[in-house]
Amino acid sequence: MNQRSARVVRRIRPAFVVAVAALLVLGSTAIDAQRRGGGARAGVRVNQNVSRTSVRSNQTVNRNVTANRDIDRNVNRDLNVNRDIDIDRDIDFDRDIDIDVDYDRWGHPIARGVAGGVAAGVALGTTVALLPSGCSTIVVGGVAYSQCGSGWYQPYYSGTTVQYVVVSAPR
Amino acid sequence: MKLTVLMLSLCVATVMAQAPSVERSYAAGRDAPIDDRAIVTLARMTDFLKMLNTFRISSESSRDEIVDTDMKVQKNASNVMSVRLPDRLHAHVRGDDRDLEFFYNGRTLTVFSREKNYYASTPAPPTISRTLDATRARHGIVMPLADFIQMAAGEDFKQSIVGAGHIGTSRIDGVECDHLAIRQADVDWQVWIEKGATPLPRKLVITTKNQPTQPQYVATLEWDLSPGIDDSLFTFVPPPNAVRIMFARTKNRDESPANP
């Protein structure tokens, strides 16, 4: 998606984005996108371009990491956001700012969670940059959650940016 | 008249015949895509960095971000990197929208956001060099001035260079420096290297070429080669009310699709 259309999409209400995405892509991909995201985030991608801060290429880094067998450690310790939403697709190695959130014209993140969470129609796996007001931090089974009314979010580091993924209520 | 022309021709011929033998290496270097003098100066710096063991870099950096489709805005940060090779690192990054600390003690890497009071810890490889790479590949985190730390750890940067020039002498913070301009496939970069006995990088500029707006990153550096660093700096002790969260994992892949 080029920048111009990304900006247009950004102004459209999320409910329409899936429809637009479905129109734009071939059938199987659209079905996949709907199944995967199930809501606001599917098919949306907004690049917030930034300069690189390292002259070393990703290829060099990946080669070293692979040679040293350092890439596959901690798979079970890291948050597998990918299971719920294809966040992997949108995280760029070279950025310490995550781009899987929408930004306004002047670069501020605008995806904010809602107090009702899943009950209010927000899909599981949706990532937001900001929480609604009145949330509290609750640790259940060693995992930190933000409870916002009946909605539950799990904060995580995407790069160096804290984001919140919609989860079902922990038991 | 004829004689004058003849003499001039002879002079020119003589100069042309002699010039290459006298000036060959210099002229070839100045005109070549990779100037020997730039490579020699760069090697002086990397050789010097490799001798370092414990050091602290204080830097001011600015980084272009693109807003409103094609407008560049600068985001600034103050960074302090405390390094003890091969396996201790502490970084404090205070930027426009973040206040972050990184702790690495040879076993664990922790990122802590003081303002949000969240931290994430992960087992890390046994050296700084490998940890910087693993952190970048696994979590998409690029530490400030990671390239210079990698140089100090012995990483060779020459393979990627397709062009290098010695631009001239420049002053950074009043210190006389060699100014180098270096070309790679995806980025151009410039480095200002202190002249004299301590050839340290004093300034770095990276231009990202594979984005249409060619955003830049600029950092000026102050070096402390004998910092007093207590070992406790490298191990994170969570404040009483800090909350542990997880890192998201990036997929291992060779391409960089978000930088078309």
Side-chain angles (χ1 to χ4, degrees), chain A residues 128-130 155-158 160-164, chain B residues 113 116 118 245:
Chain A
V128 295
L130 307 160
Y156 66 95
Y157 273 106
S158 171
T160 56
T161 306
V162 175
Q163 306 226 322
Y164 307 87
Chain B
S113 164
K116 293 198 155 84
Y118 285 129
I245 62 175

Side-chain angles (χ1 to χ4, degrees), chain A residues 9 13 15 19 24 55 68 73 99-100 106 111 113 117 124 132 138 144 153:
Chain A
V9 167
R13 285 174 47 203
L24 288 176
V55 304
N68 289 320
R73 295 168 178 228
I99 54 167
D100 193 49
W106 304 111
L124 285 178
I138 294 172
Y153 294 83

Side-chain angles (χ1 to χ4, degrees), chain A residues 54-55 62 91 105 160, chain B residues 68 98 118 147 186 247 253:
Chain A
S54 165
V55 304
N62 288 339
I91 294 179
R105 177 180 288 264
T160 56
Chain B
D68 203 17
R98 64 195 57 213
Y118 285 129
D147 292 343
D186 45 358
F247 282 114
R253 51 179 187 195

Side-chain angles (χ1 to χ4, degrees), chain B residues 37-57:
Chain B
R37 200 172 155 199
I39 294 300
V40 167
T41 309
L42 193 66
R44 277 188 70 224
M45 176 184 77
T46 52
D47 289 347
F48 186 77
L49 289 175
K50 276 179 210 165
M51 295 192 305
L52 300 181
N53 177 260
T54 305
F55 57 92
R56 177 172 283 153
I57 313 171

Side-chain angles (χ1 to χ4, degrees), chain B residues 100-111:
Chain B
L100 286 169
E101 278 184 85
F102 297 87
F103 301 81
Y104 169 67
N105 62 0
R107 296 180 301 278
T108 304
L109 176 86
T110 300
V111 176

